[in-house]
Amino acid sequence: MIELIHILVLIGLVITAALIVWQKDLIVAAVTFAAFSFLLSIEFYILQAPDVAIAEAAVGAGVSTAIFIIAIRATHDQEVT
Amino acid sequence: MIDIFGITALLVILIAFGALVRLVIGPTVPDRVVAVDTINTLTVAVMILLGVVYQQYIFIDVAIVYALLSFISTLYVAKYIGGEL
């Protein structure tokens, strides 16, 4: 059962990581990065490291997304070719 | 008795995969933001259920911190889309 949860979370990690690189809209990439860090936080949690999960959730959700949004606001919204 | 909570956690993760499909194929940005917000809330539920499975109350604190920070993240993206930031 825990192994099945492991498999599902790891598949979700690969899908979101591929979507971050493939996506051309930068807001969508930042939002998908938030989802990626959430799934990574669940993975740390399942591996029974709650302190690492707290640090990952704090950095990935609270700080990183906010700083990405501030940086995108100051520059371009779409991918520049 | 513990197996019930583990099976429930597995089912909630499967439902979160439904939201992940919407994150991948969603045509507009607000669709994807709502999908991420759904994944956040389901993640809090999974963390509490797995805290019951592992029988450690320290794991509930992670879910509290997580619920607060996911709200802040969604709030930033929503203010950007709304044009207030």
Side-chain angles (χ1 to χ4, degrees):
Chain A
M1 189 170 56
I2 296 295
E3 288 80 10
L4 217 55
I5 294 175
H6 263 296
I7 290 169
L8 285 175
V9 170
L10 291 174
I11 289 172
L13 274 176
V14 173
I15 290 171
T16 49
L19 186 62
I20 290 168
V21 185
W22 176 69
Q23 188 59 246
K24 288 190 173 12
D25 194 344
L26 295 182
I27 292 294
V28 175
V31 169
T32 314
F33 181 73
F36 174 80
S37 83
F38 295 151
L39 287 171
L40 191 59
S41 178
I42 297 182
E43 181 60 32
F44 285 141
Y45 189 91
I46 296 171
L47 291 172
Q48 304 200 19
D51 46 353
V52 187
I54 287 179
E56 174 64 34
V59 173
V63 181
S64 170
T65 305
I67 290 177
F68 279 156
I69 293 294
I70 290 170
I72 289 168
R73 182 197 57 170
T75 57
H76 293 288
D77 202 341
Q78 300 289 324
E79 187 184 37
V80 179
T81 54
Chain B
M1 192 63 191
I2 300 298
D3 278 343
I4 296 173
F5 293 101
I7 290 167
T8 312
L10 185 60
L11 290 177
V12 173
I13 283 194
L14 279 174
I15 295 168
F17 262 73
L20 197 64
V21 170
R22 179 52 66 189
L23 178 67
V24 173
I25 69 171
T28 62
V29 176
D31 281 335
R32 296 174 188 202
V33 176
V34 171
V36 170
D37 196 39
T38 310
I39 291 175
N40 290 339
T41 311
L42 292 176
T43 299
V44 174
V46 167
M47 282 180 172
I48 291 175
L49 288 169
L50 287 176
V52 178
V53 171
Y54 290 132
Q55 295 275 302
Q56 286 176 351
Y57 64 87
I58 190 71
F59 277 31
I60 306 298
D61 296 342
V62 184
I64 296 172
V65 173
Y66 194 84
L68 187 64
L69 290 173
S70 67
F71 168 69
I72 295 173
S73 161
T74 310
L75 188 68
Y76 256 90
V77 180
K79 283 183 89 67
Y80 180 81
I81 291 172
E84 297 179 25
L85 193 67

